[in-house]
């Protein structure tokens, strides 16, 4: 299929929609196209907000797309905002694609609301990190699917995950698109299985939008790479096996369930994840050889991150009794603090014993290890500031204790934010370009599966 017209007509969005704006648009689409669109409330979030699903088309195969699987990743919601209306407007497109489409713009509506402080800009590292929220793994829609393996078991999917499970069980989709995106770097893809015919199409989709490939380090050191920037989807079994290589009780490192891809695989579903960045630096595509090995860069990055997380832990320790269960902000940070030593050591052990990491380091890999690592650490500082502010507003925390912790956390955030703004020559990738890569990647997979 030729997707040029579909991609070329994506609007030049300059901001992300809030949850209320998404809901209003979803309901309006059903009002505008009552014979084509069905909107169902598939469930309710833990915060009591309805979770809406659009059903469009009547093709013989089912496709399921859901946005905001992590609530700091609203790009997919914007893609669905465009794609859902386009499906209604273009009968030829609907017929040619040949699917019945099930679309959820935001599966984690509560978490998405907690990110809305940066949705309208300014789009800078500092503003993003200041208003960033991401739930701990045990409260993520994407990572609380049931999972039992060796000495570990997870049996408590959260309500948002239960919504996904119910739809997957009901429609048994041939194609599923979990709409993630990265914070910094370049484009890369995860797929359920090796499909070499896809890679060139993915690369061209990114090239058309001037979005570079991410040629640095993978997110997880144990991921299987099919081609540059193209990886096999991972699940919790892979995490367990990785930790088992370096510790007697790998289950101690596990704190959530498995992924949507892992769950849907029981129906033969093929899943795609296209990771695309808000921020870009030219270094992420540089193959310039640095005067050190990949292991040296990776270990240094791990040590820097370890020291920063340790510092955050010391700041939060005196106020921890007031970081109550209803406070969403400190949970993922406190988990990082708790597992900091073991996680760092497992990573360092892997780098030391893996032959590929003894090779000379490219600038792209060094940038991942030494700069992007600090960017993600800044997010922990931002969450810590928000956590303390929440405690001040919602508990009887001692004012002086709170003041000291808040000043220390804010100082840590400000220092690292200033360093990153100074050290990294970055640009903001246009939303339209990101949607273009994400949508075309999805259409390539949908077209491949349709023809099978």
């Amino acid at each position: 299929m030729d997707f040029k017209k579909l991609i070329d007509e994506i609007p030049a969005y300059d901001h992300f929609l809030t949850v209320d704006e998404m809901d209003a648009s979803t309901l309006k689409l059903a009002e505008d196209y009552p014979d084509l669109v069905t909107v169902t409330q598939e469930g309710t979030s833990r915060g009591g907000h309805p979770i809406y699903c659009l059903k469009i088309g009547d093709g013989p195969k089912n496709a399921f797309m859901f946005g905001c699987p992590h609530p700091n990743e609203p790009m997919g919601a914007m893609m669905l905002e465009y794609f859902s209306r386009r499906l209604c407007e273009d009968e030829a497109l609907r017929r040619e694609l040949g699917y019945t489409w099930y679309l959820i713009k935001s599966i984690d509506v509560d978490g998405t609301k907690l990110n809305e402080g940066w949705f309208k800009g300014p789009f800078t590292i500092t503003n993003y990190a200041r208003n960033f929220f991401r739930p701990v793994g045990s409260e993520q829609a994407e990572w609380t699917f049931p999972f039992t393996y060796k000495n570990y078991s997870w049996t408590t999917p959260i309500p948002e995950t239960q919504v996904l499970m119910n739809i997957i069980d009901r429609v048994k989709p041939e194609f599923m698109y979990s709409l993630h995106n990265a914070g910094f770097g370049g484009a890369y893809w995860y797929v359920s299985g090796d499909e070499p015919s896809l890679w060139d199409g993915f690369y061209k989709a990114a090239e058309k939008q001037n979005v570079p490939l991410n040629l640095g380090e993978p997110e997880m050191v144990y991921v299987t790479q099919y081609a540059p920037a193209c990886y096999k989807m991972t699940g919790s079994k892979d995490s367990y096996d990785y930790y088992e290589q370096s510790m007697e009780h790998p289950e101690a490192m596990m704190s959530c369930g498995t992924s949507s891809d892992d769950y849907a695989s029981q129906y033969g579903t093929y899943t795609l994840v296209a990771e695309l960045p808000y921020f870009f630096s030219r270094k992420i595509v540089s193959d310039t050889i640095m005067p050190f090995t990949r292991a040296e860069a990776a270990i240094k990055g791990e040590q820097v991150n370890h020291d920063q997380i340790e510092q955050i832990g010391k700041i939060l320790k005196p106020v921890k009794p007031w970081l109550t269960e209803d406070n969403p902000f400190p949970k993922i940070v406190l988990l990082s603090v708790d597992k900091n030593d073991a996680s760092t050591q497992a990573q360092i052990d892997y780098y030391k014993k893996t032959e590929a990491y003894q090779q000379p380091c490219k600038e792209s890999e060094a940038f991942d290890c030494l700069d992007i690592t600090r960017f993600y650490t800044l997010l922990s500082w931002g969450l810590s500031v928000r956590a303390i502010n929440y405690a001040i507003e919602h508990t009887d925390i001692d004012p002086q204790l709170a003041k000291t912790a808040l000043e220390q956390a804010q100082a840590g955030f400000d220092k690292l934010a200033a360093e990153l703004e100074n050290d990294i020559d970055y640009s903001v990738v246009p939303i339209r370009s990101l949607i273009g890569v994400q949508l075309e990647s999805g259409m390539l997979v949908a077209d491949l599966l349709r023809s099978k």
Side-chain angles (χ1 to χ4, degrees), residues 148-365:
T148 298
Y149 182 64
K150 295 185 179 179
N151 295 327
Y152 182 75
S153 181
W154 180 273
T155 58
T156 53
I158 62 173
E160 292 83 353
T161 303
Q162 190 65 59
V163 166
L164 298 178
M165 291 170 62
N166 291 342
I167 294 175
I168 292 168
D169 291 340
R170 186 170 77 241
V171 310
K172 301 176 178 58
E174 279 81 7
F175 172 43
M176 186 170 73
Y177 203 171
S178 180
L179 296 166
H180 291 260
N181 59 265
F184 214 122
Y188 57 107
W189 296 264
Y190 292 104
V191 290
S192 293
D194 192 3
E195 291 286 353
S197 62
L198 291 172
W199 314 149
D200 189 53
F202 288 167
Y203 299 155
K204 287 179 179 176
E207 183 180 7
K208 289 175 197 172
Q209 304 297 335
N210 294 313
V211 176
L213 302 184
N214 190 333
L215 301 178
E217 297 290 353
E219 284 185 278
M220 291 81 65
V221 293
Y222 51 82
V223 69
T224 298
Q225 182 170 324
Y226 288 137
C230 297
Y231 302 97
K232 185 180 188 301
M233 200 78 71
T234 65
S236 288
K237 179 180 179 294
D238 302 302
S239 300
Y240 189 105
D241 290 343
Y242 164 71
Y243 287 118
E244 193 174 35
Q245 295 177 31
S246 60
M247 58 186 66
E248 185 177 355
H249 297 287
E251 65 274 11
M253 297 298 293
M254 308 293 290
S255 58
C256 60
T258 195
S259 65
S260 58
D261 167 69
D262 202 0
Y263 184 80
S265 65
Q266 64 184 304
Y267 301 113
T269 300
Y270 193 91
T271 299
L272 168 67
V273 169
E275 298 274 13
L276 296 149
Y278 300 122
F279 306 111
F280 163 71
S281 167
R282 63 166 187 80
K283 290 183 179 180
I284 204 62
V285 295
S286 172
D287 58 3
T288 299
I289 299 300
M290 309 300 285
F292 43 78
T293 65
R294 284 179 69 192
E296 289 172 323
I299 290 170
K300 182 176 180 180
E302 285 294 326
Q303 290 171 334
V304 169
N305 179 67
H306 175 275
D307 292 348
Q308 292 270 318
I309 295 299
E310 186 174 61
Q311 185 180 349
I312 290 171
K314 290 177 180 177
I315 292 170
L316 294 180
K317 185 176 181 179
V319 300
K320 191 174 179 181
W322 292 273
L323 302 180
T324 50
E325 179 62 26
D326 63 308
N327 187 338
F329 302 109
K331 294 179 182 179
I332 195 169
V333 180
L334 291 174
L335 182 65
S336 295
V337 170
D338 183 54
K339 299 184 182 298
N340 193 24
D341 290 343
S343 177
T344 300
Q345 193 57 54
Q347 293 282 88
I348 290 176
D349 289 346
Y350 183 89
Y351 297 139
K352 286 182 175 179
K353 70 182 181 184
T354 303
E355 176 60 29
Y357 280 88
Q358 313 317 311
Q359 305 306 310
C361 187
K362 297 177 182 177
E363 188 174 29
S364 58
E365 295 161 340

Side-chain angles (χ1 to χ4, degrees), residues 60-88:
K61 292 191 175 186
N62 292 330
F64 179 32
M65 298 181 174
F66 56 95
C68 301
H70 292 131
N72 59 299
E73 301 174 357
M75 184 202 310
M78 298 304 296
M79 188 274 276
L80 292 179
E81 179 69 19
Y82 169 67
F83 183 56
S84 59
R85 182 161 287 275
R86 189 57 185 266
L87 281 172
C88 294

Side-chain angles (χ1 to χ4, degrees), residues 1 13 20 40 76 88 92 134 159-160 183 230 303 338 396 400 441:
M1 287 181 64
Y13 298 111
D20 289 343
T40 54
C88 294
R134 188 181 181 101
E160 292 83 353
C230 297
Q303 290 171 334
D338 183 54
D396 62 352
Q400 188 55 49
S441 297

